[in-house]
Amino acid sequence: MVIVIQCKDQVGLVAAITGVLAKAAINIVSMREHVDTVDNRFFVRIVAEGASNADILQQQFQAVLPQNADIKVNPIPEKKIIVFVTKEYHCLSDILIRNHFKTLGATVQCVIGNHATLQDICERFDIPFYLVPHEDKDKGVFENEMLDIVKRNEADYLVLAKFMRILSPQFIKKFPIRVINIHHSFLPAFIGANPYRQAFERGVKLIGATAHFVTDDLDEGPIIAQQIIPVNHSFTASDMVKAGKEIETAVLAKALQLVLNDKVFVYRNKTVVFE
Amino acid sequence: MVIVIQCKDQVGLVAAITGVLAKAAINIVSMREHVDTVDNRFFVRIVAEGASNADILQQQFQAVLPQNADIKVNPIPEKKIIVFVTKEYHCLSDILIRNHFKTLGATVQCVIGNHATLQDICERFDIPFYLVPHEDKDKGVFENEMLDIVKRNEADYLVLAKFMRILSPQFIKKFPIRVINIHHSFLPAFIGANPYRQAFERGVKLIGATAHFVTDDLDEGPIIAQQIIPVNHSFTASDMVKAGKEIETAVLAKALQLVLNDKVFVYRNKTVVFE
Amino acid sequence: MVIVIQCKDQVGLVAAITGVLAKAAINIVSMREHVDTVDNRFFVRIVAEGASNADILQQQFQAVLPQNADIKVNPIPEKKIIVFVTKEYHCLSDILIRNHFKTLGATVQCVIGNHATLQDICERFDIPFYLVPHEDKDKGVFENEMLDIVKRNEADYLVLAKFMRILSPQFIKKFPIRVINIHHSFLPAFIGANPYRQAFERGVKLIGATAHFVTDDLDEGPIIAQQIIPVNHSFTASDMVKAGKEIETAVLAKALQLVLNDKVFVYRNKTVVFE
Amino acid sequence: MVIVIQCKDQVGLVAAITGVLAKAAINIVSMREHVDTVDNRFFVRIVAEGASNADILQQQFQAVLPQNADIKVNPIPEKKIIVFVTKEYHCLSDILIRNHFKTLGATVQCVIGNHATLQDICERFDIPFYLVPHEDKDKGVFENEMLDIVKRNEADYLVLAKFMRILSPQFIKKFPIRVINIHHSFLPAFIGANPYRQAFERGVKLIGATAHFVTDDLDEGPIIAQQIIPVNHSFTASDMVKAGKEIETAVLAKALQLVLNDKVFVYRNKTVVFE
């Protein structure tokens, strides 16, 4: 049983929450807690053992916690995701493999691509692929076509796995804290297009990748995970792209594992991640 | 205010502990909890805000916790350590610098060396240095001379900072979970003497260092911290030693920071570390 | 054009080799050289630009180098590999994906499994899968069945991608420096079976994986690549297995990339790797 | 014997260079070579064994290389450096320790500080400390006072070890590719002041440090070395500063080790580093 709670901080919150569990004879196996003392916010994630009714627990927590507390008892254990792609295979393939062998912690409902390049790999794994070209088309029309597909396929999260089109704020606002992107740089360095070319020109010795929630401010949403790899003078810009793909795959996989296991809280423009 | 507790696990422990704090109007700032479900042991570390009497809190915790619970309310904030050395300067110097600028989280009482090599650096920092040669002497006599010095200088921990003599089980037993060693390899690889030579011969691509508590079983005590660095074919055995020194310094510094801030619990032959 | 040479060291080798290239008006783009001064061995890898006849170059190099020099001009650019598996999907899937998108640097000829578990994933990528059960069968018979398949499928390297059977020295000797294994530990720690259980019991703070050439001495062949990831007290033995799979996949991918691009030299029981 | 050469690329350079060595019966122990095929520049670093006259070799190299080739035979083995500091002790202390134990690969001539804070630690190591306050003073006057000290103390490199004043382009131009700075961020992220505060606000999961040569464009000179450490939500801005100090110390130490051993070439705004 997993319990995640975010609310305004005050004295006695942990006692109140764990008191509810103790009364229900539920044993806490592990517990991570964080208070942002600047923003006065409280975050807790509890893994517990013991049978209990989730709805009743939810009500009992609500009774002892501040109003507007965000309480999830047993959040959906197997989330559903939709993956957006363009032409690059590495992130999508990693997701498809994990989905196929049931180690993703989610079910891939379908894949939406603005090019047909990755249709074949989806079909090999029996995952529906929807081709939605963006060319010769208003952005609004393009996004509405994708929205239709999203509506027909329930999804907890939309995963931009190297989707090379910028989604409009109107689109993003429909899925608050539900769109995850992999950005091909160690944000906030090299914001925007062609970061590897920028990294090459600058002569950096490390390149990175960042997985983040998408907000309407491009590349500025809450960061979930970041990682780097060393590079050197012998790397051409295209070598950096190649090395970058390995790290993009790893960082997106890690971010999904964290989000899909309810280990990530978002507030302001930041995350609390209980790894 | 820091509170660390280790005891047998049972339902309601967190509720009981945090109930005590709530009653005293003490606010929990951060809290790390772990249950070893195999061994049925409970560990918690709480950082809290609010004035309170440590002794009274200690009694109140004792009243609600299992017998034999190991409870520390406000453990000594500034520990005292004695450093044991032979000839290598890198770990000792790092400790002396941090001690000098008051960022070690402890006070170095004195340094004991079986060679005089490092006397000068200690004197430069006004730290007493005791020369205790091991040569032409029974191990018992050698250790008794050191014990005398330890007795005259109060110390919470003895730190073996590249002390190249093996201490007898009799010596070690006097300081259970109070002797910290830096071992020049990624244990359990290359146990024993000359691990860099062994690493070189084996052609490994990473070398490491391990900080651990010393028990009477050589190199087998509970591990506190480990780290590695990449090496390659161009490293001679002596290059590996040199690279190893950097990592030894870093790992010992990290282990001390963890132990001296009461972030390390020991049970069986393992540690729980709340980083 | 790639040129790799290993031979006894002597004065003037680089001058002799690059003299041959200069005469042929071939420009050196990058060059890595190493001399093992203990063993008196010379290693060089040259990437060059300029049209030339490989056979003539080979003869010209031979003429200026010590006898028995191991010279490869333009080694086979697209190697062929056969992958051996048991039940775990992670390493094989990564190889199949890279093979499918032509970024492996090799062609997977076929997959041999002693269980049928991974037949389906191979078929999804149109890669022949041969089931060779080991049960109720002499080891010699088992290995001969596999040898037959290897003979019918040309292969430069045999890749043990979590193949959980130990191959006999007789088998291994048929493919000197041509069998690559991924071992689920940071060798030489935790040699043998069930290293994650050993790592868990020992309470290590890092776990690793090692890719190495297989010799007749189990887990003792020349190391190609190693990597680690941090773990902590909250990892169960099975969490360590899970984390280990990520690192195994990454290390084997890296080792294959190195070997398949002729960046690895082997001598004694070690490798020279020009990353 | 170390030989480093940078020049315009052309066919036969390595043959020409190594031909000179072969004729002198000098054996190449290790050799790193790089060609920037975009900029058409050639870089080589050779470690060789065998007695020879450096001046004669220099002339022989000059005779076979393009005009304007930058040739160094046996560059000064023990460089001299001057360290500039403000109040933070960590980078300076590390340098002083290595200098004291003769493992820095350079001699610290003196330390210049715009505050008196670090005078004491310098005196403990018998290193001259010059206090040059910047307050109530024109920048030109301030810099001239420092220039006087630099002139009286020969130095190959000026090391800004957390020197918190920006030096004018006029000052910098006097020491081209001879001023090394440690910047407290993973450049180019968080350029300018207070990068840890910026990193904290942005909620990054990694922080880093960058050692670079100083040019007249602030924080934009050629990068020598970079490194990162993971951070998370539990880090306050001041925790990030503390963690950052560890990485700053390590990165500056690494950069110095590379530069002082003639392993770094500079061209355009980049470095070639033969680690």
Side-chain angles (χ1 to χ4, degrees):
Chain A
M1 168 172 283
V2 172
I3 297 151
V4 292
I5 296 172
Q6 177 180 170
C7 63
K8 195 165 71 67
D9 189 36
Q10 63 188 41
V11 171
L13 284 181
V14 177
I17 292 163
T18 56
V20 167
L21 293 173
K23 253 179 233 158
I26 292 173
N27 193 28
I28 299 172
V29 174
S30 84
M31 174 164 176
R32 293 288 298 271
E33 190 256 13
H34 175 66
V35 172
D36 186 318
T37 51
V38 177
D39 280 315
N40 212 35
R41 280 203 82 68
F42 169 87
F43 308 84
V44 73
R45 181 179 190 277
I46 297 170
V47 179
E49 284 177 340
S52 195
N53 182 302
D55 288 342
I56 292 174
L57 271 182
Q58 174 101 18
Q59 288 164 28
Q60 290 174 334
F61 285 134
Q62 192 53 72
V64 299
L65 292 174
Q67 270 200 313
N68 304 320
D70 183 0
I71 305 164
K72 284 184 200 133
V73 179
N74 265 347
I76 320 143
E78 188 72 12
K79 273 83 168 173
K80 297 190 177 88
I81 67 172
I82 295 176
V83 186
F84 290 64
V85 298
T86 296
K87 289 177 174 177
E88 288 173 82
Y89 74 86
H90 54 290
C91 288
L92 174 64
S93 299
D94 184 72
I95 291 170
L96 290 178
I97 289 285
R98 291 174 200 262
N99 181 66
H100 184 73
F101 287 101
K102 312 220 173 299
T103 55
L104 180 62
T107 304
V108 177
Q109 298 290 91
C110 65
V111 174
I112 298 175
N114 61 325
H115 286 272
T117 318
L118 299 172
Q119 177 150 13
D120 168 73
I121 188 76
C122 291
E123 286 172 357
R124 284 175 188 270
F125 286 102
D126 308 318
I127 299 295
F129 177 90
Y130 297 97
L131 175 63
V132 184
H134 66 281
E135 280 152 352
D136 306 321
K137 199 180 283 178
D138 254 20
K139 189 171 216 168
V141 175
F142 173 56
E143 291 188 345
N144 278 333
E145 290 178 28
M146 295 193 293
L147 273 178
D148 278 352
I149 298 164
V150 173
K151 273 180 204 154
R152 293 201 312 271
N153 293 274
E154 266 180 274
D156 299 288
Y157 294 99
L158 310 184
V159 178
L160 310 185
K162 303 294 292 174
F163 182 64
M164 305 308 277
R165 312 298 305 170
I166 295 169
L167 293 167
S168 70
Q170 291 78 353
F171 185 101
I172 295 300
K173 272 176 192 156
K174 291 191 169 65
F175 308 96
I177 315 296
R178 289 173 54 199
V179 183
I180 295 166
N181 185 42
I182 178 72
H183 183 82
H184 37 332
S185 99
F186 175 59
L187 289 175
F190 308 128
I191 287 181
N194 222 336
Y196 293 118
R197 166 58 57 180
Q198 292 181 59
F200 174 74
E201 291 296 340
R202 184 63 188 89
V204 295
K205 300 302 183 191
L206 303 172
I207 58 171
T210 303
H212 62 101
F213 287 109
V214 182
T215 57
D216 48 14
D217 193 354
L218 178 64
D219 295 344
E220 291 290 350
I223 293 171
I224 306 165
Q226 300 191 290
Q227 229 172 299
I228 55 91
I229 34 166
V231 294
N232 62 43
H233 59 268
S234 75
F235 282 66
T236 61
S238 107
D239 289 336
M240 287 194 182
V241 170
K242 221 153 99 182
K245 284 179 183 180
E246 304 286 330
I247 208 77
E248 289 166 10
T249 307
V251 172
L252 183 55
K254 172 138 191 227
L256 288 179
Q257 181 260 318
L258 292 169
V259 170
L260 297 170
N261 286 291
D262 301 290
K263 295 183 170 176
V264 180
F265 297 77
V266 176
Y267 73 114
R268 291 174 59 221
N269 200 42
K270 289 183 173 191
T271 58
V272 169
V273 178
F274 291 139
E275 281 196 59
Chain B
M1 168 170 285
V2 172
I3 296 149
V4 291
I5 296 171
Q6 177 181 169
C7 63
K8 196 166 69 70
D9 189 36
Q10 63 188 43
V11 171
L13 283 181
V14 177
I17 292 164
T18 58
V20 167
L21 293 173
K23 253 180 234 159
I26 291 173
N27 193 28
I28 298 171
V29 174
S30 84
M31 174 165 176
R32 295 287 297 272
E33 189 256 14
H34 175 66
V35 172
D36 185 317
T37 51
V38 177
D39 279 314
N40 212 36
R41 280 203 82 67
F42 169 88
F43 308 84
V44 74
R45 183 180 189 274
I46 298 171
V47 179
E49 282 177 343
S52 197
N53 182 302
D55 287 343
I56 294 174
L57 272 182
Q58 175 102 17
Q59 288 163 29
Q60 291 174 332
F61 285 133
Q62 192 54 72
V64 300
L65 292 175
Q67 269 200 312
N68 303 322
D70 182 0
I71 306 165
K72 284 185 199 133
V73 179
N74 265 349
I76 318 145
E78 189 71 13
K79 272 83 169 172
K80 297 190 177 87
I81 67 173
I82 295 176
V83 186
F84 289 65
V85 298
T86 295
K87 291 177 173 178
E88 289 174 82
Y89 74 87
H90 53 290
C91 289
L92 174 65
S93 299
D94 185 72
I95 291 170
L96 290 177
I97 289 285
R98 291 173 200 263
N99 182 64
H100 184 73
F101 288 101
K102 313 218 172 301
T103 55
L104 180 62
T107 303
V108 177
Q109 298 290 90
C110 66
V111 174
I112 298 175
N114 60 326
H115 287 271
T117 319
L118 299 172
Q119 177 151 12
D120 168 73
I121 188 77
C122 291
E123 286 171 359
R124 286 176 186 268
F125 286 103
D126 309 319
I127 299 295
F129 177 91
Y130 297 98
L131 176 62
V132 184
H134 66 280
E135 279 152 352
D136 305 321
K137 200 179 281 176
D138 255 20
K139 189 170 215 166
V141 175
F142 173 55
E143 292 188 345
N144 278 333
E145 290 178 29
M146 296 193 292
L147 272 177
D148 277 351
I149 298 164
V150 173
K151 273 180 205 155
R152 294 202 310 270
N153 293 272
E154 266 180 274
D156 300 289
Y157 293 100
L158 311 184
V159 179
L160 311 184
K162 304 294 292 172
F163 181 64
M164 306 307 277
R165 311 300 304 170
I166 294 169
L167 294 167
S168 71
Q170 290 78 351
F171 186 101
I172 295 301
K173 271 175 192 157
K174 292 193 167 64
F175 309 97
I177 315 296
R178 287 173 56 198
V179 183
I180 296 166
N181 184 43
I182 178 72
H183 183 82
H184 38 331
S185 100
F186 174 61
L187 289 174
F190 307 129
I191 287 181
N194 222 336
Y196 293 118
R197 166 59 55 182
Q198 292 181 58
F200 174 76
E201 291 297 338
R202 184 63 187 89
V204 295
K205 301 302 184 191
L206 304 171
I207 58 171
T210 303
H212 63 101
F213 288 108
V214 182
T215 57
D216 48 13
D217 192 355
L218 178 64
D219 296 345
E220 291 290 352
I223 293 172
I224 306 165
Q226 300 191 290
Q227 229 173 297
I228 56 90
I229 34 166
V231 294
N232 62 43
H233 59 268
S234 75
F235 283 65
T236 61
S238 108
D239 290 336
M240 286 193 182
V241 170
K242 219 153 101 181
K245 284 179 183 180
E246 304 286 331
I247 208 78
E248 288 166 10
T249 308
V251 171
L252 183 56
K254 173 137 193 228
L256 288 179
Q257 181 260 318
L258 292 168
V259 170
L260 296 170
N261 286 290
D262 301 291
K263 294 182 170 176
V264 180
F265 298 76
V266 176
Y267 73 114
R268 291 173 58 218
N269 200 40
K270 290 185 174 189
T271 59
V272 168
V273 179
F274 292 138
E275 283 197 58
Chain C
M1 167 172 283
V2 172
I3 297 151
V4 293
I5 297 171
Q6 176 180 170
C7 62
K8 194 166 70 68
D9 189 35
Q10 63 188 43
V11 172
L13 284 181
V14 176
I17 292 164
T18 57
V20 167
L21 293 173
K23 253 180 233 158
I26 291 173
N27 193 28
I28 298 172
V29 173
S30 84
M31 173 163 177
R32 294 288 298 272
E33 190 256 12
H34 175 66
V35 172
D36 186 317
T37 51
V38 177
D39 279 315
N40 211 36
R41 280 204 80 68
F42 169 87
F43 307 84
V44 72
R45 182 180 190 274
I46 298 170
V47 179
E49 281 176 343
S52 196
N53 182 300
D55 288 343
I56 292 174
L57 272 182
Q58 175 101 17
Q59 288 164 29
Q60 290 174 334
F61 284 133
Q62 193 54 72
V64 298
L65 292 175
Q67 269 199 315
N68 303 321
D70 183 0
I71 306 164
K72 283 186 200 133
V73 179
N74 265 346
I76 319 145
E78 189 71 12
K79 272 82 169 173
K80 297 190 177 86
I81 67 172
I82 295 176
V83 186
F84 289 64
V85 298
T86 295
K87 289 177 174 177
E88 289 174 83
Y89 74 87
H90 53 290
C91 289
L92 174 64
S93 299
D94 185 71
I95 291 170
L96 290 177
I97 289 286
R98 291 174 199 260
N99 181 64
H100 184 73
F101 287 102
K102 313 218 172 301
T103 55
L104 180 62
T107 303
V108 177
Q109 299 290 90
C110 65
V111 174
I112 298 175
N114 61 324
H115 286 271
T117 318
L118 298 173
Q119 175 151 14
D120 168 73
I121 189 76
C122 290
E123 285 170 358
R124 285 176 187 268
F125 286 103
D126 309 318
I127 300 294
F129 177 91
Y130 298 96
L131 176 62
V132 184
H134 66 281
E135 280 151 352
D136 306 321
K137 198 181 284 178
D138 255 19
K139 190 171 214 167
V141 175
F142 173 56
E143 292 189 345
N144 277 334
E145 290 178 29
M146 295 193 292
L147 274 178
D148 278 351
I149 298 165
V150 173
K151 274 180 205 156
R152 293 201 313 271
N153 292 273
E154 267 180 90
D156 299 289
Y157 293 99
L158 310 185
V159 179
L160 311 185
K162 305 294 289 172
F163 181 65
M164 306 307 277
R165 311 300 302 171
I166 295 169
L167 294 166
S168 70
Q170 291 78 353
F171 186 101
I172 295 300
K173 272 176 193 158
K174 292 191 169 65
F175 309 96
I177 315 298
R178 287 173 56 199
V179 183
I180 297 167
N181 184 43
I182 179 72
H183 183 82
H184 38 332
S185 100
F186 175 62
L187 289 175
F190 307 130
I191 287 181
N194 222 337
Y196 293 117
R197 166 57 59 182
Q198 292 182 58
F200 174 75
E201 290 298 339
R202 184 63 188 87
V204 295
K205 301 302 182 191
L206 303 171
I207 57 171
T210 302
H212 62 102
F213 287 108
V214 182
T215 57
D216 48 13
D217 192 355
L218 178 64
D219 295 344
E220 291 289 351
I223 293 172
I224 307 165
Q226 299 191 292
Q227 229 172 297
I228 57 90
I229 35 166
V231 294
N232 61 44
H233 59 267
S234 75
F235 282 64
T236 61
S238 108
D239 290 335
M240 287 194 183
V241 171
K242 222 154 97 182
K245 284 179 183 179
E246 304 286 330
I247 208 79
E248 289 165 11
T249 308
V251 171
L252 183 55
K254 174 139 190 226
L256 288 179
Q257 181 259 318
L258 292 169
V259 170
L260 297 171
N261 286 291
D262 300 291
K263 294 181 170 176
V264 180
F265 297 76
V266 176
Y267 73 115
R268 291 173 59 220
N269 200 41
K270 289 183 172 190
T271 59
V272 169
V273 179
F274 292 139
E275 281 197 59
Chain D
M1 167 171 285
V2 172
I3 296 151
V4 293
I5 297 171
Q6 176 180 168
C7 63
K8 195 165 71 66
D9 189 36
Q10 63 189 42
V11 171
L13 284 181
V14 177
I17 292 164
T18 56
V20 167
L21 294 174
K23 254 178 233 158
I26 291 173
N27 193 28
I28 299 172
V29 174
S30 83
M31 174 165 176
R32 293 288 298 271
E33 190 256 13
H34 176 65
V35 172
D36 186 317
T37 52
V38 177
D39 280 315
N40 211 37
R41 281 205 80 67
F42 169 86
F43 308 84
V44 73
R45 182 180 190 276
I46 298 170
V47 179
E49 283 177 342
S52 196
N53 182 301
D55 289 343
I56 293 174
L57 271 183
Q58 175 101 18
Q59 288 163 30
Q60 290 173 332
F61 285 132
Q62 193 54 72
V64 300
L65 292 174
Q67 270 201 312
N68 305 320
D70 183 0
I71 306 164
K72 283 185 201 132
V73 179
N74 265 347
I76 320 146
E78 188 71 13
K79 271 84 169 173
K80 298 191 176 87
I81 67 172
I82 295 176
V83 186
F84 290 64
V85 299
T86 295
K87 290 176 175 178
E88 288 173 84
Y89 73 88
H90 54 291
C91 289
L92 174 64
S93 299
D94 185 72
I95 291 170
L96 290 177
I97 289 285
R98 291 175 199 261
N99 182 64
H100 184 73
F101 287 101
K102 311 218 173 304
T103 55
L104 181 62
T107 304
V108 177
Q109 298 290 90
C110 65
V111 174
I112 297 175
N114 61 325
H115 287 271
T117 318
L118 299 172
Q119 178 151 11
D120 168 72
I121 188 76
C122 290
E123 286 170 359
R124 284 175 188 269
F125 285 104
D126 308 318
I127 299 295
F129 177 91
Y130 297 97
L131 175 63
V132 184
H134 66 280
E135 278 152 353
D136 305 321
K137 199 179 283 179
D138 254 22
K139 189 171 215 166
V141 175
F142 173 55
E143 292 189 345
N144 278 332
E145 289 178 29
M146 296 193 293
L147 273 178
D148 278 352
I149 298 164
V150 173
K151 273 179 205 154
R152 293 201 312 269
N153 292 273
E154 266 180 274
D156 300 290
Y157 293 99
L158 310 183
V159 179
L160 311 184
K162 304 295 292 173
F163 181 64
M164 306 307 277
R165 312 299 304 170
I166 295 169
L167 293 167
S168 72
Q170 290 79 352
F171 186 101
I172 295 301
K173 273 175 190 155
K174 291 191 170 64
F175 309 96
I177 315 296
R178 289 174 54 201
V179 183
I180 296 167
N181 184 43
I182 178 72
H183 183 81
H184 38 331
S185 98
F186 175 60
L187 289 174
F190 308 129
I191 286 181
N194 222 336
Y196 292 118
R197 165 59 56 183
Q198 292 181 57
F200 174 75
E201 291 297 339
R202 183 63 187 89
V204 295
K205 301 302 184 193
L206 303 172
I207 58 171
T210 303
H212 62 101
F213 287 109
V214 182
T215 57
D216 48 13
D217 193 354
L218 178 65
D219 295 346
E220 291 290 349
I223 293 171
I224 306 164
Q226 301 191 289
Q227 230 172 298
I228 56 91
I229 35 166
V231 295
N232 61 44
H233 59 268
S234 75
F235 283 65
T236 62
S238 108
D239 289 336
M240 286 194 183
V241 171
K242 221 153 99 182
K245 284 178 184 181
E246 304 287 331
I247 208 79
E248 289 165 10
T249 307
V251 171
L252 183 55
K254 173 137 192 227
L256 288 179
Q257 180 259 319
L258 293 169
V259 170
L260 297 170
N261 285 291
D262 301 291
K263 294 183 170 175
V264 180
F265 298 76
V266 175
Y267 73 114
R268 291 174 59 217
N269 200 42
K270 290 182 173 189
T271 57
V272 168
V273 179
F274 292 138
E275 281 195 60

